[in-house]
Structures are given as C-alpha cells and as structure tokens.
Amino acid sequence: LSRPLGNQIPGVVLLSILGKLTLGGRVGPRWAAGVYLLLGGLIWAAPTSTIQDVYEIQKPVSDVGRSMLSLSGGALVSTGVFLAGLVRGLALPQCLALTFATDAALALKWALLEVSSLGGAKVGGFLWAISSLAVAALSLA
C-alpha cells in the first residue's frame, strides 16, 4: 500500500505498555474499554482521515475499502461496549446483548446510508441488523 510503517511503532509500544500495566493491576480496566471506544469511534467516524493521516496510505482507496475500514472501527466500538459493560459490573449476557445491539445499530446505519452508494442491496444490512438484534434478545432470555 506504499505506506511508511514507522508511524505505527508508537501506537504498538503504547498499547503494549497499557496491556502490561493493566495485567499488573497498575491501570484499571476502564482504560481498555476507553481505548477501544475511542480508537474504534475515530476509525468508524472518519475512515478517510484514518487512511490518510493515521495509516498514511498513498494509493487511492476505494469506497468499499473506506466502508470496510469504517466497519472495522465499528467492530472495535462493539468490543469497547462489551468491555465497558464488564467494567460496570454487568453480567456476561447483558454485555453480550449490549454488544450485539451496538452492532445492530452500526449495521442499520451502514444499510441506510452506505450500501446503496457501494452498489449493494440494503437487504443484507437489514438482515445483519435483525440477526444482531435477535442475538441481543436471546442473550437476555
């Protein structure tokens, strides 16, 4: 992709240190949830900026590529929601329900606002949202 790799080193070092401090009990687990929510939210909300400013990719990235990067940011957000639920003391089924409800919202946004411009059918995004809501509901049953 014709991009420099050196700019990724500080992030890798920071996350490694954060992981080590968390496992050692010197940093609370809220940091893990916060990092996932912050980074995932930034990638989800600004995939073009992520491509240009963070990853410094010089080659053109297609609309599908941008959309997929945004969805990967959404996956990080869903993980952050799960971790935040655990930090708040919620039971595992509740955390799972929150995670899949978040996923359903992201899928619905994608179906309504992105998939048509990519030449796809909205039905896939709607089925994704419905199945995510079903898993969320079953998690609480």
Side-chain angles (χ1 to χ4, degrees), residues 117-130:
S117 66
L118 300 173
K122 291 183 180 184
V123 68
F126 290 138
L127 290 174
W128 174 17
I130 290 167

Side-chain angles (χ1 to χ4, degrees), residues 79-135:
T79 302
V81 167
F82 182 84
L83 293 172
L86 290 176
V87 168
R88 301 266 308 158
L90 298 178
L92 193 59
Q94 293 170 312
C95 294
L96 195 59
L98 281 173
T99 300
F100 276 91
T102 301
D103 189 57
L106 295 169
L108 189 59
K109 179 262 183 194
W110 183 75
L112 292 172
L113 301 179
E114 288 185 47
V115 73
S116 291
S117 66
L118 300 173
K122 291 183 180 184
V123 68
F126 290 138
L127 290 174
W128 174 17
I130 290 167
S131 64
S132 291
L133 282 177
V135 171

Side-chain angles (χ1 to χ4, degrees), residues 5 15 133:
L5 297 177
L15 292 176
L133 282 177

